Amino acid sequence: MSRLKAFCIDIIAALVGLVIVVGIVSTFTNVPFLRDAVLLPVQVASSGEISDYPGATDMYQVEVRNGVGVNGVAERMRGYLRSKGYDVVGVGNHRSFDIEKTIIVDRIDNLAIAQQVAASLGLPRDRISKDVRDEFHLDVSIIIGKDYGMIPPFSETTNSSDIPDLHDSN
C-alpha cells in the first residue's frame, strides 16, 4: 500500500509542477493560456498614442476603394483601419478617380455602423450614403476622395509610424 501511496504522491507532484511551469512559460511568452484565466489577470496599456478618433466597437467588415488614383492610399487606409480594430475585407480602386470627398457607404442598412466608421475617420455624418444590395457581404465601403490629406491616416495629427507605407496602385 505504501508503494501505491508514494506513486500517487509522485503523480500529483508532477502535475502540480507541470501546471506551475506552464503558467510561468505562458506569462513570460505572452501566451494567454493560464496567464489570463487563472494566474495573473493583468491590464495591458496601449503602446500607441491616444487618438481623437475612436476605433471599432465591434468586428465590422469594411472595404476600401481608392477614388483619387493616388498610389498607395487604399493600402495605407487599410493599415489604419486594422489598427483601429476593423476587419478590412477588400481593398482596390473605385470605378473612377474623380471622387471629391471621402464617403462612407452603408451596405447593410445599419446607420450606426456607418456612423462609427465615419467617427473613426473624423468625418461628419453628411459623408454617409446608403447603397444596400444583396451581393455585398460587408458592412461599409469607404471611398477615398481628393480630401484624403485631411483624414487619418494621412493627416499630420496621425502617428504615421504606426501605419504601414505600402506602395501599390491602390
Side-chain angles (χ1 to χ4, degrees):
M1 199 61 155
S2 67
R3 246 180 164 186
L4 181 60
K5 189 176 183 180
F7 179 72
C8 289
I9 291 173
D10 287 343
I11 293 293
I12 291 171
L15 288 174
V16 168
L18 181 61
V19 168
I20 291 171
V21 168
V22 168
I24 291 171
V25 169
S26 173
T27 300
F28 290 110
T29 61
N30 203 24
V31 177
F33 176 65
L34 288 176
R35 182 199 66 209
D36 294 339
V38 178
L39 290 179
L40 300 171
V42 294
Q43 230 177 7
V44 179
S46 172
S47 61
E49 70 179 31
I50 297 173
S51 172
D52 292 337
Y53 305 109
T57 57
D58 229 336
M59 184 56 80
Y60 301 133
Q61 293 186 325
V62 301
E63 74 169 343
V64 179
R65 294 287 169 228
N66 181 344
V68 294
V70 174
N71 193 23
V73 295
E75 281 296 330
R76 187 159 179 164
M77 179 65 75
R78 177 197 338 224
Y80 175 80
L81 292 169
R82 284 188 172 164
S83 76
K84 291 289 193 175
Y86 291 97
D87 180 15
V88 182
V89 297
V91 172
N93 289 326
H94 188 58
R95 63 180 172 265
S96 67
F97 292 139
D98 59 352
I99 304 300
E100 290 298 319
K101 294 182 177 182
T102 301
I103 58 172
I104 309 299
V105 183
D106 176 5
R107 298 295 191 189
I108 61 167
D109 200 18
N110 187 332
L111 186 59
I113 294 173
Q115 289 172 341
Q116 177 66 42
V117 174
S120 294
L121 297 174
L123 296 174
R125 290 182 179 188
D126 66 355
R127 298 285 189 89
I128 299 171
S129 67
K130 183 166 63 169
D131 183 12
V132 178
R133 295 187 217 159
D134 290 338
E135 66 265 20
F136 289 120
H137 300 287
L138 52 103
D139 299 308
V140 169
S141 295
I142 300 168
I143 303 173
I144 300 172
K146 294 178 182 174
D147 66 337
Y148 71 92
M150 304 300 290
I151 60 173
F154 310 101
S155 63
E156 292 181 23
T157 59
T158 305
N159 185 356
S160 60
S161 65
D162 295 335
I163 311 299
D165 186 19
L166 304 173
H167 300 286
D168 68 2
S169 62
N170 296 323

